Each structure stands twice: as structure tokens, then as C-alpha cells.
Amino acid sequence: MYFHKQELQHAATPDKPDAVYARKLQEVLGGQYGEITVAMQYQFQAWNMHIPGKYRDLVFGIGAEEMGHVEMLATMIAQLLEKAPLGITDEAVQADPTVAAVVGGTDIQQGIVAGAGARPVDSMGNPWSGSFITASGNLLADFTSNANAEMQGRTQVARLYHMTDDHGVRDLLSFLLARDTMHQNQWIAAAQELREEGYEELPVPSNFPQQKEATEVSYQYINFSDGAQAGDGRWASGPSPDGHGEFSYVPEPQPGVPMPPPTVPDARWYGTTATSNTKEKIAGAVQDKLHME
């Protein structure tokens, strides 16, 4: 059950309108690593979780917080758009507000579609997609993905911080940066605790019998580039982080195996094949008569 309280976690009031910056801010709202993504990612991870207790409570709690961050950013964007001029001052451009909006760098759909409000899109107007979220049911995989999402999101917020001198906007971004600092550390700590408590191990999934994989290449760094220094890294020699193997370095790939011949699909897929068109038509007709669906 959800209950909405009409308060914000932190102040979200700009000093002045700025429609151009409102468009930029859409990235950390509806982009791949925006607040909508992490809010929905954490909620689905919690709904799909197979064990009760602290990990499920953790994910539910942060998912709810991230929904509050969605609300703060949407509120900020709406206020940046409030009373913002639609275009720029040049008369030749200002005569057409749509052209003025494009030239000025604003998102015209924030006005036309949303009535001077935020939208579930990124800074280029691409709709937010549920395919952005990761909720696999494997907690070590998911928590590692969460740490990455928070790192990418914090990077984008840090860049946006330097794109404005508005004190109100910077105040909100400063708060979001701080929460992303916590969340990065939180997910790394949670992943470590999962391993320490024996729930999951590397490699993920750790309960798949490793002897069923081609173990001769499990810990090889195979150099598929003409760069010569990859062999100097920690990943090219010494014990692997999962404790199950020793890294080795292979300077270049072994010779490959021949490609199989091109496939010949059912004639009723109507792909172009090496078979003559006449034969393809006859084959399709025969398959239809024999009900070979």
C-alpha cells in the first residue's frame, strides 16, 4: 500500500525560471540512469525478492525514497518552466514560438504536451522505458547493478551541477549528490554482506555448477586488441577475486572455427535464400497443403 504525503524530502525551488535547464534536468528524471529508473528498479527487485528480512526491507525503503526524488525533480522542472519565456528575444525568431523554442534549446513538448510541466522522458525527449530496469532475482547481480546505476546517476547530476548557477537548483542537486554517495556505498556494503553471509558468491550465479562451464578459459584474459599493456593489469595474473582460479594472459586469440553454412528457413518466412524463387514458391505451397505450420 502506498500513501502519499504532500511534502518533499528536500527543498526544490529555483531562483528563477529557465526552460533550457528544465530540459537538461529531464535526463536525471527520465533518462536511463534517472530517478524513475532507480525507483522502479528497486521496487521490482523488492517485489521479486525470494527472502524476507533486512535485504527486502532495504530495497523497499530506498525504492520509496527514490520515488520521492522523482517528485522533487518533477517539481523543480515545473517551477523552472513556470513563467519562463517560450523563445528568445530576436524578433525574426520570436515571431514563431515553435522555432524560438527549438533555437532556444527548450523542449517544446514540455509546453505543448505537459502544459509547462515535467515529462517521463530524457533530455532529448525519448520516453522512459521499462527496459532500463534490472530485477533478476539474484541479489548479488542486482545490488551490483544498483551500485552502477547510482554511479552513473551521480556522474550525470555532478555534470548538471556545473551547468547552472541557480542557487536553488544547486541546493537540490547537492542533496541528490549526497544521497547518491550513500546509495553507492550502501549497495556495495549490501553486496559484500550477501557474500559474507553465504547467500551469494562470485561468479554470479554461484549455485550453477562451475564444472559445467569450459573451465579452461574461465580465468584467461584473451587480448583481442593490438594494445600491448592489458597484460600489466591485476586481471592478467594472480588469484581471481572469486577465489576459485588463477588469472592468465593470452596475448592473442587462438585460431577460430569455420562458420556454419547460411541457414535455410521455412519458405513462408519469405527470406531471400540460395534456393530459386520458383522452388521456394512450390515448397511454400506444398507446406500449406500439408498443414505444416
PDB file of all heavy atoms in Angstrom, residues 25-42 62-63 65-73 128 150 153-154 156-157 176-177 179-180 183:
ATOM      1  N   LEU A  25      17.527  18.927 -17.131  1.00  0.00           N
ATOM      2  CA  LEU A  25      17.218  18.204 -15.900  1.00  0.00           C
ATOM      3  C   LEU A  25      16.367  16.963 -16.156  1.00  0.00           C
ATOM      4  O   LEU A  25      16.334  16.048 -15.326  1.00  0.00           O
ATOM      5  CB  LEU A  25      16.503  19.143 -14.929  1.00  0.00           C
ATOM      6  CG  LEU A  25      16.680  18.896 -13.425  1.00  0.00           C
ATOM      7  CD1 LEU A  25      18.150  18.852 -13.043  1.00  0.00           C
ATOM      8  CD2 LEU A  25      15.956  19.977 -12.647  1.00  0.00           C
ATOM      9  N   GLN A  26      15.703  16.919 -17.314  1.00  0.00           N
ATOM     10  CA  GLN A  26      14.905  15.744 -17.660  1.00  0.00           C
ATOM     11  C   GLN A  26      15.753  14.472 -17.712  1.00  0.00           C
ATOM     12  O   GLN A  26      15.249  13.374 -17.479  1.00  0.00           O
ATOM     13  CB  GLN A  26      14.225  15.944 -19.025  1.00  0.00           C
ATOM     14  CG  GLN A  26      13.017  16.847 -19.017  1.00  0.00           C
ATOM     15  CD  GLN A  26      11.771  16.175 -18.455  1.00  0.00           C
ATOM     16  OE1 GLN A  26      10.830  16.865 -18.101  1.00  0.00           O
ATOM     17  NE2 GLN A  26      11.766  14.847 -18.351  1.00  0.00           N
ATOM     18  N   GLU A  27      17.059  14.614 -17.976  1.00  0.00           N
ATOM     19  CA  GLU A  27      17.911  13.430 -18.100  1.00  0.00           C
ATOM     20  C   GLU A  27      17.975  12.644 -16.809  1.00  0.00           C
ATOM     21  O   GLU A  27      17.923  11.411 -16.816  1.00  0.00           O
ATOM     22  CB  GLU A  27      19.320  13.828 -18.538  1.00  0.00           C
ATOM     23  CG  GLU A  27      20.213  12.658 -18.927  1.00  0.00           C
ATOM     24  CD  GLU A  27      19.680  11.897 -20.144  1.00  0.00           C
ATOM     25  OE1 GLU A  27      19.168  12.543 -21.088  1.00  0.00           O
ATOM     26  OE2 GLU A  27      19.780  10.655 -20.151  1.00  0.00           O
ATOM     27  N   VAL A  28      18.099  13.365 -15.666  1.00  0.00           N
ATOM     28  CA  VAL A  28      18.197  12.661 -14.390  1.00  0.00           C
ATOM     29  C   VAL A  28      16.823  12.365 -13.797  1.00  0.00           C
ATOM     30  O   VAL A  28      16.728  11.790 -12.714  1.00  0.00           O
ATOM     31  CB  VAL A  28      19.075  13.434 -13.381  1.00  0.00           C
ATOM     32  CG1 VAL A  28      20.527  13.397 -13.832  1.00  0.00           C
ATOM     33  CG2 VAL A  28      18.603  14.867 -13.201  1.00  0.00           C
ATOM     34  N   LEU A  29      15.791  12.716 -14.534  1.00  0.00           N
ATOM     35  CA  LEU A  29      14.438  12.293 -14.168  1.00  0.00           C
ATOM     36  C   LEU A  29      14.043  11.061 -14.972  1.00  0.00           C
ATOM     37  O   LEU A  29      13.758  10.011 -14.395  1.00  0.00           O
ATOM     38  CB  LEU A  29      13.434  13.426 -14.413  1.00  0.00           C
ATOM     39  CG  LEU A  29      11.961  13.051 -14.188  1.00  0.00           C
ATOM     40  CD1 LEU A  29      11.691  12.724 -12.723  1.00  0.00           C
ATOM     41  CD2 LEU A  29      11.042  14.168 -14.670  1.00  0.00           C
ATOM     42  N   GLY A  30      14.059  11.178 -16.309  1.00  0.00           N
ATOM     43  CA  GLY A  30      13.537  10.106 -17.154  1.00  0.00           C
ATOM     44  C   GLY A  30      14.540   9.429 -18.048  1.00  0.00           C
ATOM     45  O   GLY A  30      14.161   8.667 -18.938  1.00  0.00           O
ATOM     46  N   GLY A  31      15.837   9.674 -17.824  1.00  0.00           N
ATOM     47  CA  GLY A  31      16.865   9.014 -18.625  1.00  0.00           C
ATOM     48  C   GLY A  31      17.144   7.599 -18.142  1.00  0.00           C
ATOM     49  O   GLY A  31      16.559   7.118 -17.161  1.00  0.00           O
ATOM     50  N   GLN A  32      18.071   6.937 -18.806  1.00  0.00           N
ATOM     51  CA  GLN A  32      18.389   5.541 -18.479  1.00  0.00           C
ATOM     52  C   GLN A  32      18.800   5.375 -17.027  1.00  0.00           C
ATOM     53  O   GLN A  32      18.448   4.381 -16.377  1.00  0.00           O
ATOM     54  CB  GLN A  32      19.514   5.029 -19.386  1.00  0.00           C
ATOM     55  CG  GLN A  32      19.896   3.576 -19.123  1.00  0.00           C
ATOM     56  CD  GLN A  32      20.958   3.074 -20.072  1.00  0.00           C
ATOM     57  OE1 GLN A  32      21.406   3.782 -20.969  1.00  0.00           O
ATOM     58  NE2 GLN A  32      21.383   1.837 -19.883  1.00  0.00           N
ATOM     59  N   TYR A  33      19.538   6.334 -16.483  1.00  0.00           N
ATOM     60  CA  TYR A  33      20.000   6.247 -15.094  1.00  0.00           C
ATOM     61  C   TYR A  33      19.319   7.291 -14.213  1.00  0.00           C
ATOM     62  O   TYR A  33      19.838   7.658 -13.167  1.00  0.00           O
ATOM     63  CB  TYR A  33      21.525   6.413 -15.046  1.00  0.00           C
ATOM     64  CG  TYR A  33      22.249   5.327 -15.793  1.00  0.00           C
ATOM     65  CD1 TYR A  33      22.863   5.582 -17.015  1.00  0.00           C
ATOM     66  CD2 TYR A  33      22.278   4.029 -15.303  1.00  0.00           C
ATOM     67  CE1 TYR A  33      23.505   4.576 -17.712  1.00  0.00           C
ATOM     68  CE2 TYR A  33      22.921   3.020 -15.996  1.00  0.00           C
ATOM     69  CZ  TYR A  33      23.534   3.299 -17.200  1.00  0.00           C
ATOM     70  OH  TYR A  33      24.168   2.302 -17.897  1.00  0.00           O
ATOM     71  N   GLY A  34      18.142   7.757 -14.652  1.00  0.00           N
ATOM     72  CA  GLY A  34      17.418   8.758 -13.895  1.00  0.00           C
ATOM     73  C   GLY A  34      16.664   8.175 -12.715  1.00  0.00           C
ATOM     74  O   GLY A  34      16.658   6.958 -12.464  1.00  0.00           O
ATOM     75  N   GLU A  35      15.986   9.067 -12.001  1.00  0.00           N
ATOM     76  CA  GLU A  35      15.298   8.667 -10.777  1.00  0.00           C
ATOM     77  C   GLU A  35      14.114   7.737 -11.031  1.00  0.00           C
ATOM     78  O   GLU A  35      13.802   6.883 -10.188  1.00  0.00           O
ATOM     79  CB  GLU A  35      14.836   9.912 -10.009  1.00  0.00           C
ATOM     80  CG  GLU A  35      15.960  10.839  -9.574  1.00  0.00           C
ATOM     81  CD  GLU A  35      16.836  10.257  -8.478  1.00  0.00           C
ATOM     82  OE1 GLU A  35      16.564   9.144  -8.006  1.00  0.00           O
ATOM     83  OE2 GLU A  35      17.809  10.935  -8.095  1.00  0.00           O
ATOM     84  N   ILE A  36      13.446   7.882 -12.170  1.00  0.00           N
ATOM     85  CA  ILE A  36      12.357   6.947 -12.471  1.00  0.00           C
ATOM     86  C   ILE A  36      12.902   5.532 -12.578  1.00  0.00           C
ATOM     87  O   ILE A  36      12.315   4.573 -12.056  1.00  0.00           O
ATOM     88  CB  ILE A  36      11.617   7.345 -13.763  1.00  0.00           C
ATOM     89  CG1 ILE A  36      10.921   8.700 -13.605  1.00  0.00           C
ATOM     90  CG2 ILE A  36      10.592   6.270 -14.150  1.00  0.00           C
ATOM     91  CD1 ILE A  36      10.253   9.197 -14.874  1.00  0.00           C
ATOM     92  N   THR A  37      14.051   5.400 -13.227  1.00  0.00           N
ATOM     93  CA  THR A  37      14.646   4.070 -13.396  1.00  0.00           C
ATOM     94  C   THR A  37      14.984   3.435 -12.060  1.00  0.00           C
ATOM     95  O   THR A  37      14.595   2.290 -11.783  1.00  0.00           O
ATOM     96  CB  THR A  37      15.915   4.155 -14.262  1.00  0.00           C
ATOM     97  OG1 THR A  37      15.555   4.553 -15.586  1.00  0.00           O
ATOM     98  CG2 THR A  37      16.613   2.802 -14.339  1.00  0.00           C
ATOM     99  N   VAL A  38      15.714   4.160 -11.200  1.00  0.00           N
ATOM    100  CA  VAL A  38      16.123   3.519  -9.952  1.00  0.00           C
ATOM    101  C   VAL A  38      14.918   3.281  -9.037  1.00  0.00           C
ATOM    102  O   VAL A  38      14.866   2.265  -8.326  1.00  0.00           O
ATOM    103  CB  VAL A  38      17.229   4.319  -9.231  1.00  0.00           C
ATOM    104  CG1 VAL A  38      18.536   4.215 -10.000  1.00  0.00           C
ATOM    105  CG2 VAL A  38      16.852   5.772  -9.030  1.00  0.00           C
ATOM    106  N   ALA A  39      13.944   4.184  -9.057  1.00  0.00           N
ATOM    107  CA  ALA A  39      12.747   3.974  -8.230  1.00  0.00           C
ATOM    108  C   ALA A  39      12.036   2.684  -8.632  1.00  0.00           C
ATOM    109  O   ALA A  39      11.693   1.846  -7.783  1.00  0.00           O
ATOM    110  CB  ALA A  39      11.797   5.166  -8.354  1.00  0.00           C
ATOM    111  N   MET A  40      11.824   2.485  -9.926  1.00  0.00           N
ATOM    112  CA  MET A  40      11.131   1.292 -10.396  1.00  0.00           C
ATOM    113  C   MET A  40      12.014   0.059 -10.283  1.00  0.00           C
ATOM    114  O   MET A  40      11.527  -1.041  -9.976  1.00  0.00           O
ATOM    115  CB  MET A  40      10.675   1.484 -11.846  1.00  0.00           C
ATOM    116  CG  MET A  40       9.651   2.592 -12.033  1.00  0.00           C
ATOM    117  SD  MET A  40       8.212   2.412 -10.946  1.00  0.00           S
ATOM    118  CE  MET A  40       7.536   0.865 -11.521  1.00  0.00           C
ATOM    119  N   GLN A  41      13.316   0.228 -10.488  1.00  0.00           N
ATOM    120  CA  GLN A  41      14.236  -0.913 -10.367  1.00  0.00           C
ATOM    121  C   GLN A  41      14.197  -1.480  -8.951  1.00  0.00           C
ATOM    122  O   GLN A  41      14.087  -2.701  -8.758  1.00  0.00           O
ATOM    123  CB  GLN A  41      15.650  -0.466 -10.723  1.00  0.00           C
ATOM    124  CG  GLN A  41      16.712  -1.551 -10.577  1.00  0.00           C
ATOM    125  CD  GLN A  41      17.924  -1.270 -11.434  1.00  0.00           C
ATOM    126  OE1 GLN A  41      17.804  -1.050 -12.622  1.00  0.00           O
ATOM    127  NE2 GLN A  41      19.096  -1.291 -10.836  1.00  0.00           N
ATOM    128  N   TYR A  42      14.268  -0.624  -7.952  1.00  0.00           N
ATOM    129  CA  TYR A  42      14.291  -1.099  -6.575  1.00  0.00           C
ATOM    130  C   TYR A  42      12.935  -1.683  -6.164  1.00  0.00           C
ATOM    131  O   TYR A  42      12.874  -2.680  -5.437  1.00  0.00           O
ATOM    132  CB  TYR A  42      14.694   0.026  -5.633  1.00  0.00           C
ATOM    133  CG  TYR A  42      16.039   0.647  -5.956  1.00  0.00           C
ATOM    134  CD1 TYR A  42      16.356   1.937  -5.538  1.00  0.00           C
ATOM    135  CD2 TYR A  42      16.999  -0.042  -6.700  1.00  0.00           C
ATOM    136  CE1 TYR A  42      17.589   2.505  -5.847  1.00  0.00           C
ATOM    137  CE2 TYR A  42      18.215   0.518  -7.011  1.00  0.00           C
ATOM    138  CZ  TYR A  42      18.515   1.798  -6.588  1.00  0.00           C
ATOM    139  OH  TYR A  42      19.724   2.354  -6.904  1.00  0.00           O
ATOM    140  N   ILE A  62      14.547   2.094   0.067  1.00  0.00           N
ATOM    141  CA  ILE A  62      15.221   3.002  -0.857  1.00  0.00           C
ATOM    142  C   ILE A  62      14.371   3.233  -2.102  1.00  0.00           C
ATOM    143  O   ILE A  62      14.394   4.314  -2.696  1.00  0.00           O
ATOM    144  CB  ILE A  62      16.632   2.489  -1.224  1.00  0.00           C
ATOM    145  CG1 ILE A  62      17.376   3.555  -2.031  1.00  0.00           C
ATOM    146  CG2 ILE A  62      16.580   1.204  -1.970  1.00  0.00           C
ATOM    147  CD1 ILE A  62      18.810   3.199  -2.309  1.00  0.00           C
ATOM    148  N   GLY A  63      13.582   2.225  -2.501  1.00  0.00           N
ATOM    149  CA  GLY A  63      12.677   2.427  -3.635  1.00  0.00           C
ATOM    150  C   GLY A  63      11.677   3.532  -3.360  1.00  0.00           C
ATOM    151  O   GLY A  63      11.365   4.360  -4.225  1.00  0.00           O
ATOM    152  N   GLU A  65      12.168   6.024  -1.228  1.00  0.00           N
ATOM    153  CA  GLU A  65      12.899   7.293  -1.230  1.00  0.00           C
ATOM    154  C   GLU A  65      13.100   7.806  -2.652  1.00  0.00           C
ATOM    155  O   GLU A  65      12.939   8.997  -2.927  1.00  0.00           O
ATOM    156  CB  GLU A  65      14.258   7.152  -0.542  1.00  0.00           C
ATOM    157  CG  GLU A  65      15.036   8.465  -0.554  1.00  0.00           C
ATOM    158  CD  GLU A  65      16.433   8.375   0.026  1.00  0.00           C
ATOM    159  OE1 GLU A  65      16.828   7.274   0.481  1.00  0.00           O
ATOM    160  OE2 GLU A  65      17.145   9.400   0.028  1.00  0.00           O
ATOM    161  N   GLU A  66      13.468   6.890  -3.568  1.00  0.00           N
ATOM    162  CA  GLU A  66      13.722   7.306  -4.946  1.00  0.00           C
ATOM    163  C   GLU A  66      12.453   7.837  -5.617  1.00  0.00           C
ATOM    164  O   GLU A  66      12.514   8.723  -6.459  1.00  0.00           O
ATOM    165  CB  GLU A  66      14.312   6.150  -5.759  1.00  0.00           C
ATOM    166  CG  GLU A  66      15.651   5.631  -5.256  1.00  0.00           C
ATOM    167  CD  GLU A  66      16.804   6.601  -5.457  1.00  0.00           C
ATOM    168  OE1 GLU A  66      16.565   7.767  -5.849  1.00  0.00           O
ATOM    169  OE2 GLU A  66      17.948   6.195  -5.207  1.00  0.00           O
ATOM    170  N   MET A  67      11.301   7.313  -5.235  1.00  0.00           N
ATOM    171  CA  MET A  67      10.060   7.866  -5.773  1.00  0.00           C
ATOM    172  C   MET A  67       9.900   9.318  -5.318  1.00  0.00           C
ATOM    173  O   MET A  67       9.408  10.169  -6.068  1.00  0.00           O
ATOM    174  CB  MET A  67       8.864   7.029  -5.322  1.00  0.00           C
ATOM    175  CG  MET A  67       7.584   7.351  -6.070  1.00  0.00           C
ATOM    176  SD  MET A  67       7.711   7.063  -7.866  1.00  0.00           S
ATOM    177  CE  MET A  67       7.669   5.262  -7.894  1.00  0.00           C
ATOM    178  N   GLY A  68      10.336   9.599  -4.097  1.00  0.00           N
ATOM    179  CA  GLY A  68      10.336  10.978  -3.622  1.00  0.00           C
ATOM    180  C   GLY A  68      11.286  11.857  -4.422  1.00  0.00           C
ATOM    181  O   GLY A  68      11.021  13.052  -4.629  1.00  0.00           O
ATOM    182  N   HIS A  69      12.412  11.289  -4.895  1.00  0.00           N
ATOM    183  CA  HIS A  69      13.336  12.047  -5.726  1.00  0.00           C
ATOM    184  C   HIS A  69      12.724  12.346  -7.090  1.00  0.00           C
ATOM    185  O   HIS A  69      12.968  13.411  -7.666  1.00  0.00           O
ATOM    186  CB  HIS A  69      14.645  11.278  -5.884  1.00  0.00           C
ATOM    187  CG  HIS A  69      15.411  11.143  -4.605  1.00  0.00           C
ATOM    188  ND1 HIS A  69      16.628  10.500  -4.528  1.00  0.00           N
ATOM    189  CD2 HIS A  69      15.132  11.571  -3.344  1.00  0.00           C
ATOM    190  CE1 HIS A  69      17.064  10.529  -3.280  1.00  0.00           C
ATOM    191  NE2 HIS A  69      16.165  11.177  -2.543  1.00  0.00           N
ATOM    192  N   VAL A  70      11.933  11.414  -7.605  1.00  0.00           N
ATOM    193  CA  VAL A  70      11.192  11.678  -8.838  1.00  0.00           C
ATOM    194  C   VAL A  70      10.312  12.904  -8.640  1.00  0.00           C
ATOM    195  O   VAL A  70      10.272  13.818  -9.481  1.00  0.00           O
ATOM    196  CB  VAL A  70      10.325  10.460  -9.241  1.00  0.00           C
ATOM    197  CG1 VAL A  70       9.388  10.809 -10.394  1.00  0.00           C
ATOM    198  CG2 VAL A  70      11.210   9.268  -9.616  1.00  0.00           C
ATOM    199  N   GLU A  71       9.620  12.939  -7.515  1.00  0.00           N
ATOM    200  CA  GLU A  71       8.702  14.048  -7.240  1.00  0.00           C
ATOM    201  C   GLU A  71       9.449  15.373  -7.094  1.00  0.00           C
ATOM    202  O   GLU A  71       8.999  16.413  -7.587  1.00  0.00           O
ATOM    203  CB  GLU A  71       7.890  13.751  -5.980  1.00  0.00           C
ATOM    204  CG  GLU A  71       6.817  14.790  -5.706  1.00  0.00           C
ATOM    205  CD  GLU A  71       5.860  14.330  -4.631  1.00  0.00           C
ATOM    206  OE1 GLU A  71       6.322  13.947  -3.540  1.00  0.00           O
ATOM    207  OE2 GLU A  71       4.647  14.364  -4.874  1.00  0.00           O
ATOM    208  N   MET A  72      10.607  15.356  -6.427  1.00  0.00           N
ATOM    209  CA  MET A  72      11.377  16.593  -6.265  1.00  0.00           C
ATOM    210  C   MET A  72      11.836  17.138  -7.608  1.00  0.00           C
ATOM    211  O   MET A  72      11.748  18.344  -7.868  1.00  0.00           O
ATOM    212  CB  MET A  72      12.582  16.346  -5.358  1.00  0.00           C
ATOM    213  CG  MET A  72      12.246  16.252  -3.889  1.00  0.00           C
ATOM    214  SD  MET A  72      13.704  16.284  -2.823  1.00  0.00           S
ATOM    215  CE  MET A  72      14.516  14.747  -3.255  1.00  0.00           C
ATOM    216  N   LEU A  73      12.324  16.264  -8.480  1.00  0.00           N
ATOM    217  CA  LEU A  73      12.796  16.716  -9.790  1.00  0.00           C
ATOM    218  C   LEU A  73      11.641  17.199 -10.659  1.00  0.00           C
ATOM    219  O   LEU A  73      11.770  18.209 -11.363  1.00  0.00           O
ATOM    220  CB  LEU A  73      13.563  15.590 -10.488  1.00  0.00           C
ATOM    221  CG  LEU A  73      14.980  15.360  -9.966  1.00  0.00           C
ATOM    222  CD1 LEU A  73      15.557  14.061 -10.525  1.00  0.00           C
ATOM    223  CD2 LEU A  73      15.891  16.533 -10.334  1.00  0.00           C
ATOM    224  N   TRP A 128      10.791   7.381 -21.272  1.00  0.00           N
ATOM    225  CA  TRP A 128      11.364   6.432 -20.331  1.00  0.00           C
ATOM    226  C   TRP A 128      10.900   5.029 -20.684  1.00  0.00           C
ATOM    227  O   TRP A 128       9.761   4.813 -21.127  1.00  0.00           O
ATOM    228  CB  TRP A 128      10.928   6.766 -18.900  1.00  0.00           C
ATOM    229  CG  TRP A 128      11.529   5.809 -17.909  1.00  0.00           C
ATOM    230  CD1 TRP A 128      12.773   5.869 -17.373  1.00  0.00           C
ATOM    231  CD2 TRP A 128      10.923   4.623 -17.382  1.00  0.00           C
ATOM    232  NE1 TRP A 128      12.980   4.796 -16.532  1.00  0.00           N
ATOM    233  CE2 TRP A 128      11.856   4.011 -16.528  1.00  0.00           C
ATOM    234  CE3 TRP A 128       9.684   4.017 -17.558  1.00  0.00           C
ATOM    235  CZ2 TRP A 128      11.595   2.839 -15.843  1.00  0.00           C
ATOM    236  CZ3 TRP A 128       9.414   2.842 -16.877  1.00  0.00           C
ATOM    237  CH2 TRP A 128      10.361   2.259 -16.032  1.00  0.00           C
ATOM    238  N   GLU A 150      23.640   3.997  -9.501  1.00  0.00           N
ATOM    239  CA  GLU A 150      23.884   5.160  -8.659  1.00  0.00           C
ATOM    240  C   GLU A 150      25.161   5.896  -9.082  1.00  0.00           C
ATOM    241  O   GLU A 150      25.220   7.132  -9.029  1.00  0.00           O
ATOM    242  CB  GLU A 150      23.992   4.733  -7.191  1.00  0.00           C
ATOM    243  CG  GLU A 150      22.729   4.128  -6.600  1.00  0.00           C
ATOM    244  CD  GLU A 150      21.637   5.164  -6.351  1.00  0.00           C
ATOM    245  OE1 GLU A 150      21.912   6.386  -6.481  1.00  0.00           O
ATOM    246  OE2 GLU A 150      20.506   4.754  -6.017  1.00  0.00           O
ATOM    247  N   GLY A 153      24.196   7.758 -12.309  1.00  0.00           N
ATOM    248  CA  GLY A 153      23.304   8.853 -11.979  1.00  0.00           C
ATOM    249  C   GLY A 153      24.037   9.993 -11.293  1.00  0.00           C
ATOM    250  O   GLY A 153      23.820  11.173 -11.597  1.00  0.00           O
ATOM    251  N   ARG A 154      24.919   9.664 -10.355  1.00  0.00           N
ATOM    252  CA  ARG A 154      25.666  10.708  -9.638  1.00  0.00           C
ATOM    253  C   ARG A 154      26.590  11.454 -10.592  1.00  0.00           C
ATOM    254  O   ARG A 154      26.787  12.668 -10.465  1.00  0.00           O
ATOM    255  CB  ARG A 154      26.467  10.100  -8.489  1.00  0.00           C
ATOM    256  CG  ARG A 154      27.088  11.139  -7.565  1.00  0.00           C
ATOM    257  CD  ARG A 154      27.713  10.480  -6.329  1.00  0.00           C
ATOM    258  NE  ARG A 154      28.136  11.474  -5.347  1.00  0.00           N
ATOM    259  CZ  ARG A 154      29.311  12.117  -5.381  1.00  0.00           C
ATOM    260  NH1 ARG A 154      30.174  11.835  -6.344  1.00  0.00           N
ATOM    261  NH2 ARG A 154      29.616  13.001  -4.448  1.00  0.00           N
ATOM    262  N   GLN A 156      26.008  12.064 -13.739  1.00  0.00           N
ATOM    263  CA  GLN A 156      25.189  12.986 -14.518  1.00  0.00           C
ATOM    264  C   GLN A 156      24.750  14.188 -13.681  1.00  0.00           C
ATOM    265  O   GLN A 156      24.755  15.324 -14.166  1.00  0.00           O
ATOM    266  CB  GLN A 156      23.982  12.243 -15.087  1.00  0.00           C
ATOM    267  CG  GLN A 156      24.371  11.202 -16.130  1.00  0.00           C
ATOM    268  CD  GLN A 156      23.182  10.429 -16.673  1.00  0.00           C
ATOM    269  OE1 GLN A 156      22.051  10.626 -16.248  1.00  0.00           O
ATOM    270  NE2 GLN A 156      23.440   9.553 -17.614  1.00  0.00           N
ATOM    271  N   VAL A 157      24.383  13.949 -12.416  1.00  0.00           N
ATOM    272  CA  VAL A 157      23.988  15.067 -11.549  1.00  0.00           C
ATOM    273  C   VAL A 157      25.182  16.001 -11.332  1.00  0.00           C
ATOM    274  O   VAL A 157      25.032  17.232 -11.325  1.00  0.00           O
ATOM    275  CB  VAL A 157      23.446  14.545 -10.205  1.00  0.00           C
ATOM    276  CG1 VAL A 157      23.207  15.696  -9.233  1.00  0.00           C
ATOM    277  CG2 VAL A 157      22.137  13.780 -10.426  1.00  0.00           C
ATOM    278  N   LEU A 176      20.921  15.632  -3.771  1.00  0.00           N
ATOM    279  CA  LEU A 176      20.860  14.384  -4.541  1.00  0.00           C
ATOM    280  C   LEU A 176      22.236  13.741  -4.664  1.00  0.00           C
ATOM    281  O   LEU A 176      22.360  12.508  -4.607  1.00  0.00           O
ATOM    282  CB  LEU A 176      20.266  14.648  -5.930  1.00  0.00           C
ATOM    283  CG  LEU A 176      18.798  15.063  -5.953  1.00  0.00           C
ATOM    284  CD1 LEU A 176      18.362  15.414  -7.370  1.00  0.00           C
ATOM    285  CD2 LEU A 176      17.897  13.969  -5.372  1.00  0.00           C
ATOM    286  N   LEU A 177      23.274  14.566  -4.821  1.00  0.00           N
ATOM    287  CA  LEU A 177      24.637  14.028  -4.874  1.00  0.00           C
ATOM    288  C   LEU A 177      24.982  13.317  -3.571  1.00  0.00           C
ATOM    289  O   LEU A 177      25.585  12.235  -3.574  1.00  0.00           O
ATOM    290  CB  LEU A 177      25.641  15.157  -5.132  1.00  0.00           C
ATOM    291  CG  LEU A 177      25.684  15.713  -6.555  1.00  0.00           C
ATOM    292  CD1 LEU A 177      26.393  17.067  -6.577  1.00  0.00           C
ATOM    293  CD2 LEU A 177      26.380  14.737  -7.496  1.00  0.00           C
ATOM    294  N   ARG A 179      22.886  11.934  -1.403  1.00  0.00           N
ATOM    295  CA  ARG A 179      22.131  10.691  -1.278  1.00  0.00           C
ATOM    296  C   ARG A 179      22.702   9.617  -2.202  1.00  0.00           C
ATOM    297  O   ARG A 179      22.740   8.427  -1.841  1.00  0.00           O
ATOM    298  CB  ARG A 179      20.646  10.933  -1.590  1.00  0.00           C
ATOM    299  CG  ARG A 179      19.941  11.825  -0.596  1.00  0.00           C
ATOM    300  CD  ARG A 179      20.152  11.348   0.839  1.00  0.00           C
ATOM    301  NE  ARG A 179      19.556  10.037   1.066  1.00  0.00           N
ATOM    302  CZ  ARG A 179      19.934   9.194   2.021  1.00  0.00           C
ATOM    303  NH1 ARG A 179      20.932   9.500   2.835  1.00  0.00           N
ATOM    304  NH2 ARG A 179      19.319   8.030   2.166  1.00  0.00           N
ATOM    305  N   ASP A 180      23.178  10.028  -3.393  1.00  0.00           N
ATOM    306  CA  ASP A 180      23.811   9.058  -4.289  1.00  0.00           C
ATOM    307  C   ASP A 180      25.111   8.529  -3.704  1.00  0.00           C
ATOM    308  O   ASP A 180      25.488   7.377  -3.945  1.00  0.00           O
ATOM    309  CB  ASP A 180      24.074   9.695  -5.664  1.00  0.00           C
ATOM    310  CG  ASP A 180      22.813   9.867  -6.479  1.00  0.00           C
ATOM    311  OD1 ASP A 180      21.778   9.286  -6.106  1.00  0.00           O
ATOM    312  OD2 ASP A 180      22.844  10.592  -7.496  1.00  0.00           O
ATOM    313  N   HIS A 183      23.950   5.901  -1.366  1.00  0.00           N
ATOM    314  CA  HIS A 183      23.394   4.739  -2.058  1.00  0.00           C
ATOM    315  C   HIS A 183      24.479   3.892  -2.725  1.00  0.00           C
ATOM    316  O   HIS A 183      24.391   2.664  -2.742  1.00  0.00           O
ATOM    317  CB  HIS A 183      22.353   5.191  -3.078  1.00  0.00           C
ATOM    318  CG  HIS A 183      21.161   5.850  -2.446  1.00  0.00           C
ATOM    319  ND1 HIS A 183      20.287   6.655  -3.147  1.00  0.00           N
ATOM    320  CD2 HIS A 183      20.713   5.828  -1.165  1.00  0.00           C
ATOM    321  CE1 HIS A 183      19.349   7.095  -2.318  1.00  0.00           C
ATOM    322  NE2 HIS A 183      19.594   6.608  -1.116  1.00  0.00           N
TER     323      HIS A 183
END
